[in-house]
Amino acid sequence: MTTEPLETVQTANRGRPRNATPPIRAKARRASQRPRKSVTLTVLCAVMALYTLLPLAWLAINATKTQQNLFNSFGLWFKGFGFFSNVSNTFSYQHDIFGRWLLNTLLYVVVGAGGATMLATLAGYGLAKFDFAGKKAVFAIVIGAVAVPATALAVPTFLMFSKMGLTDTPWAIIIPSLISPFGLYLMWTFSADAVPAEIMESARMDGAGEFRTFFSVSLPLLGPGIVTVLLFNVVTTWNNYFLPLIMLKDQNWYPLTLGLSTWNDQAHTAGGDVVFNLVITGSVITIIPLIAAFLLLQRYWQSGLSAGSVKG
Amino acid sequence: MTITRRRGVLLGATALAVALAATACGSSSSSGGSKGSGGSAQSATVTDADLQAALTAGGNLTVWAWEPTLKKVVADFQTKYPNVHVNLVNAGTGNDEYKALQNAVQAGKGVPDVAHIEYYALPQFELTKSVANLDQFGAAALNGTFTPGPWNAVQSAGGVYGLPMDSGPMALFYNKTVFDKNGITTPPATWDEYIADAKKIHAADPTAYITNDTGDAGFTTSMIWQAGGKPYTVDGTNVGVNFATDPGTQKFTAAWQQLIDGHDLAPVSSWSDAWYQGMNTGKIASLTIGAWMPASLESGVKNGSGQWRVAPMPQWTAGGKVTSENGGSSLAVMKASTNQKLAYAFLKYATVDEGAQTRVDNGAFPATVKQLNSPDFLNKSDAYFGDQKINQVLAQSASEVAPGWSYLPFQVYANSVFNDTAGKAYIGGSSLADGLKAWQDASTKYAKDQGFTVK
């Protein structure tokens, strides 16, 4: 149950910059050239915007309600105000474990998603700019890996990690998160276009080594691509549910997704403490960092998208 | 989520298949010799003195359980036996935990010493030889300690595979205020009366319902159980599933179909937020459910305080006295545990000795005869239920549970496909009888695929 509202909200949130912003920009551009309006498109966009924002609105509204008001009121309107007490209860419930889950999630995101982005950048750049034997095989493997959903790999990964004695440790989450075939593929195609061979040639002519060329010449050009891949990886790691579910048993290493789900499950248990208000408030707190990441990085990754489109 | 479930099931399937091969060899030898001849070295019964020695010596135990009152039990246990350290882990609730257990058993690592397993799921772990036979620790001597329903649920021909922790004899929990408002002065004594009341409530207020049901495998099997049905026949690896001609099943479908056809059931799934909301606003007026429900009502339906009451489960024949079990769970010792003796000592503490009372004091419904019949328990009046002595009704139900019921050795899988088959009846399009036939087909197909002999 928790994951459901969480997912809807997060897809909604993920969809927002993508769905809502381009039409506005496109409209503005079109308006300056030849003004044309489409009622159908406007209505369609409005419906889509409503559809994606509604769960978010529901979540925000209900985070202000106490457990009792949650049951006694209409879901899309306010009743009473208990947001601050909800927040403080969320953090203090079960011996302050929510803060610990928040820190765990941050750890998994910083090390896992950050590391995955770094590896994808290095590998993608290498594959795009250097020729070596077996490159076609690497290409086939990467494309194949993109096609395999992470969920399908979770159980075999569990069995392997179990043999290695890594289950129930943060490594069980971090190591699989470091691998991002899609990110690698994205960086590969992006590097191929964004870093002209001529610039690299001239850098080499000026006597720069491959590392110097990479760090001072190529890296700045790869910026938008890196931010895009980073955002993808951050969202994936932040929302990761199934992998921690099967890897971790120790609540002290849970990420937010899994922790909130256990709180939600309490309502499914005879005699369990029903804490829907804390689950909802916890979900709001959980998505705030994601919204912040999108708002802060929006500029970079949009320019990355458009850079590709202009070139293409 | 669906992918998740499918994965779990697949994995479970492999585990089952492997284990079946093992049972096929094992069963022939055990049928020839006397009971437990296979492990004769170990079969000498462990005495109480041995258990006491294990407790004094101490050690580490990992317990996977989600049951809330166990926290206090574990704390008390460690105070009493300071050399024992118990690591109580919530490895998920119900199905999540079973998946995790199967994964761990298959990996051969990270298996807990003790696991919390519901009655319907226990046969599966027994068949895959994941849980230890407790006969070797003298569990058979506990006969009479527990009420018949749960005791029957932890046993099979081969031995005892868990100790009952709680039980769920069914009763009718209803909101008296809502019933009164609709002119229903006495709670329905038969299912015919119940159906009439359901129509009365829904007719008076189209947003109000006597109960909710969107298709719940546990509830359905409990209802068939009460109606005298025996759709499942299990004898080792010979299984039979028969909903099509089982008389008890037909009694249930004939009655419930009327409620489905009249749209008299709230289209709300149990344990969802909408469910709690429905009960808080009085739109869901009753539940026929296990005796463990009071604690959940008090925690999740605060608005109903003082309004709810408990009545005996409605009967199939007027004046009848037959009930069934709904839910309930046991603690089992995992075979992979390296300290089974200590694990069993903990089981005994938590389910028979001091722990049983601690758990009842904290709101659990007992499976032990002693706690169930104690005057303190029976005479406790509950303010939430308008000072009614609800335990008298619930204890009465525990003594009237219909005997002879058994679940499938792969009930966890069967329940997971209930909504894809029988569940269709609840959203219209097919009858409940057809739906149960589809459930039967899915269950028998799975049984054949897993190497069971299907009758």
Side-chain angles (χ1 to χ4, degrees):
Chain A
M1 260 307 293
T2 341
T3 55
E4 258 176 57
L6 258 181
E7 270 167 28
T8 29
V9 164
Q10 277 156 4
T11 33
N13 162 38
R14 211 185 303 156
R16 201 160 56 123
R18 250 195 273 157
N19 289 348
T21 328
I24 295 169
R25 294 176 82 225
K27 216 190 201 176
R29 205 187 320 137
R30 248 191 255 131
S32 64
Q33 289 162 4
R34 46 188 169 127
R36 198 166 54 142
K37 280 179 191 161
S38 163
V39 179
T40 332
L41 273 181
T42 314
V43 170
L44 213 66
C45 284
V47 169
M48 285 309 290
L50 200 69
Y51 179 76
T52 47
L53 288 175
L54 209 59
L56 198 65
W58 182 89
L59 194 68
I61 290 168
N62 286 285
T64 65
K65 294 178 188 170
T66 61
Q67 173 82 17
Q68 268 329 94
N69 285 335
L70 210 53
F71 290 139
N72 299 328
S73 59
F74 177 59
L76 285 172
W77 199 241
F78 298 92
K79 183 170 184 185
F81 189 80
F83 182 69
F84 294 113
S85 72
N86 276 347
V87 170
S88 78
N89 286 341
T90 303
F91 277 98
S92 63
Y93 190 62
Q94 279 185 4
H95 311 292
D96 310 332
I97 200 161
F98 188 82
R100 170 83 196 236
W101 291 340
L102 190 63
L103 291 177
N104 289 343
T105 309
L106 282 173
L107 172 77
Y108 301 150
V109 164
V110 169
V111 183
T117 310
M118 197 180 77
L119 291 174
T121 308
L122 290 173
Y125 176 77
L127 283 162
K129 291 299 163 196
F130 299 94
D131 270 323
F132 56 90
K135 203 167 146 176
K136 274 202 170 144
V138 174
F139 183 78
I141 290 171
V142 171
I143 293 295
V146 172
V148 180
T151 319
L153 292 173
V155 170
T157 317
F158 169 81
L159 295 176
M160 191 171 80
F161 275 48
S162 183
K163 291 270 181 294
M164 295 159 70
L166 290 176
T167 48
D168 229 5
T169 68
W171 294 113
I173 309 305
I174 291 172
I175 295 174
S177 303
L178 286 175
I179 294 146
S180 161
F182 181 67
L184 167 59
Y185 180 68
L186 214 68
M187 281 317 293
W188 186 344
T189 49
F190 189 83
S191 313
D193 276 353
V195 187
E198 298 80 21
I199 293 189
M200 289 174 68
E201 277 306 311
S202 59
R204 285 185 192 128
M205 298 257 274
D206 290 344
E210 288 307 335
F211 281 100
R212 178 88 192 270
T213 314
F214 175 72
F215 283 109
S216 5
V217 179
S218 308
L219 204 57
L221 293 170
L222 292 174
I226 294 173
V227 171
T228 311
V229 171
L230 183 68
L231 267 178
F232 270 116
N233 287 336
V234 166
V235 171
T236 314
T237 317
W238 194 276
N239 290 344
N240 203 350
Y241 173 76
F242 188 52
L243 186 73
L245 175 72
I246 67 166
M247 288 290 183
L248 301 177
K249 292 291 157 276
D250 184 351
Q251 293 217 349
N252 286 324
W253 286 116
Y254 276 11
L256 286 167
T257 45
L258 201 51
L260 285 173
S261 153
T262 61
W263 282 4
N264 194 53
D265 282 349
Q266 288 183 178
H268 302 210
T269 313
D273 198 6
V274 181
V275 287
F276 285 128
N277 58 331
L278 302 190
V279 174
I280 289 172
T281 312
S283 304
V284 170
I285 298 170
T286 302
I287 63 168
I288 287 173
L290 275 186
I291 295 177
F294 267 97
L295 292 181
L296 289 173
L297 298 174
Q298 196 181 25
R299 227 156 42 94
Y300 300 97
W301 89 303
Q302 271 184 2
S303 71
L305 285 183
S306 51
S309 64
V310 171
K311 279 228 113 180
Chain B
M1 260 329 268
T2 34
I3 298 169
T4 312
R5 190 165 298 148
R6 206 168 299 144
R7 271 277 112 185
V9 165
L10 273 179
L11 189 70
T14 358
L16 259 180
V18 171
L20 276 179
T23 8
C25 311
S27 59
S28 59
S29 69
S30 70
S31 63
S34 63
K35 186 191 74 146
S37 62
S40 57
Q42 262 198 317
S43 70
T45 304
V46 175
T47 63
D48 279 356
D50 293 337
L51 293 178
Q52 200 58 47
L55 285 165
T56 316
N60 290 316
L61 280 183
T62 300
V63 178
W64 282 8
W66 67 85
E67 210 279 338
T69 62
L70 273 181
K71 268 184 203 147
K72 176 86 173 97
V73 172
V74 165
D76 292 350
F77 179 73
Q78 293 186 118
T79 313
K80 188 168 176 190
Y81 303 106
N83 293 334
V84 187
H85 176 73
V86 180
N87 181 21
L88 182 64
V89 178
N90 182 347
T93 303
N95 231 346
D96 285 346
E97 192 210 38
Y98 308 143
K99 256 180 266 163
L101 266 182
Q102 275 168 343
N103 286 353
V105 167
Q106 205 186 13
K109 262 191 183 165
V111 184
D113 299 288
V114 174
H116 177 191
I117 301 175
E118 285 159 284
Y119 297 133
Y120 83 94
L122 194 58
Q124 176 160 331
F125 289 97
E126 179 202 327
L127 192 75
T128 55
K129 305 216 174 252
S130 311
V131 289
N133 186 341
L134 302 180
D135 267 357
Q136 55 182 311
F137 304 110
L142 294 173
N143 190 10
T145 309
F146 301 100
T147 52
W151 183 240
N152 177 50
V154 296
Q155 293 194 91
S156 73
V160 180
Y161 289 90
L163 292 187
M165 186 153 59
D166 57 5
S167 70
M170 290 183 96
L172 178 72
F173 292 77
Y174 67 100
N175 188 324
K176 188 172 187 298
T177 312
V178 178
F179 271 38
D180 285 347
K181 204 174 72 189
N182 288 283
I184 305 166
T185 48
T186 51
T190 64
W191 287 111
D192 285 338
E193 285 176 43
Y194 183 86
I195 291 166
D197 291 343
K199 295 194 178 299
K200 210 185 272 181
I201 291 173
H202 189 51
D205 175 359
T207 65
Y209 300 89
I210 195 162
T211 196
N212 69 297
D213 195 1
T214 55
D216 177 335
F219 175 75
T220 305
T221 45
S222 292
M223 289 292 284
I224 294 172
W225 178 347
Q226 189 214 12
K230 289 196 173 69
Y232 299 133
T233 44
V234 182
D235 176 18
T237 54
N238 296 315
V239 298
V241 183
N242 173 24
F243 288 111
T245 59
D246 177 66
T249 307
Q250 284 167 350
K251 246 191 233 179
F252 165 68
T253 50
W256 220 245
Q257 190 67 49
Q258 299 175 46
L259 294 178
I260 294 172
D261 289 343
H263 302 284
D264 299 317
L265 299 166
V268 167
S269 298
S270 296
W271 307 103
S272 62
D273 44 355
W275 187 63
Y276 283 107
Q277 184 164 28
M279 286 192 287
N280 270 293
T281 51
K283 299 293 183 191
I284 296 175
S286 78
L287 298 172
T288 310
I289 208 161
W292 33 259
M293 193 62 206
S296 291
L297 281 173
E298 286 171 36
S299 162
V301 192
K302 293 207 170 69
N303 277 24
S305 183
Q307 301 180 359
W308 284 70
R309 298 288 184 277
V310 182
M313 187 178 185
Q315 295 293 314
W316 290 101
T317 46
K321 279 186 181 305
V322 184
T323 62
S324 59
E325 295 262 347
N326 179 230
S329 54
S330 64
L331 287 178
V333 174
M334 299 305 291
K335 205 153 203 180
S337 166
T338 50
N339 202 348
Q340 292 189 10
K341 213 181 279 177
L342 184 63
Y344 180 75
F346 172 74
L347 243 62
K348 210 166 162 238
Y349 175 90
T351 61
V352 183
D353 302 332
E354 291 95 322
Q357 188 59 46
T358 310
R359 298 188 52 260
V360 171
D361 291 344
N362 285 282
F365 191 81
T368 37
V369 175
K370 185 181 156 204
Q371 270 75 26
L372 196 71
N373 292 335
S374 82
D376 280 355
F377 178 73
L378 290 174
N379 294 323
K380 198 174 92 182
S381 65
D382 195 324
Y384 184 90
F385 294 94
D387 289 327
Q388 186 190 0
K389 291 174 182 170
I390 60 167
N391 288 336
Q392 296 186 347
V393 181
L394 300 173
Q396 180 71 24
S397 174
S399 68
E400 294 167 355
V401 173
W405 175 266
S406 67
Y407 285 113
L408 288 173
F410 48 88
Q411 196 71 37
V412 175
Y413 169 82
N415 285 5
S416 76
V417 297
F418 182 85
N419 283 76
D420 301 335
T421 51
K424 283 182 184 153
Y426 291 83
I427 47 175
S430 68
S431 72
L432 189 53
D434 290 347
L436 287 173
K437 180 70 177 55
W439 193 29
Q440 171 179 334
D441 292 344
S443 300
T444 48
K445 181 181 179 303
Y446 179 81
K448 281 179 192 148
D449 291 349
Q450 296 304 311
F452 287 94
T453 313
V454 179
K455 277 180 280 180

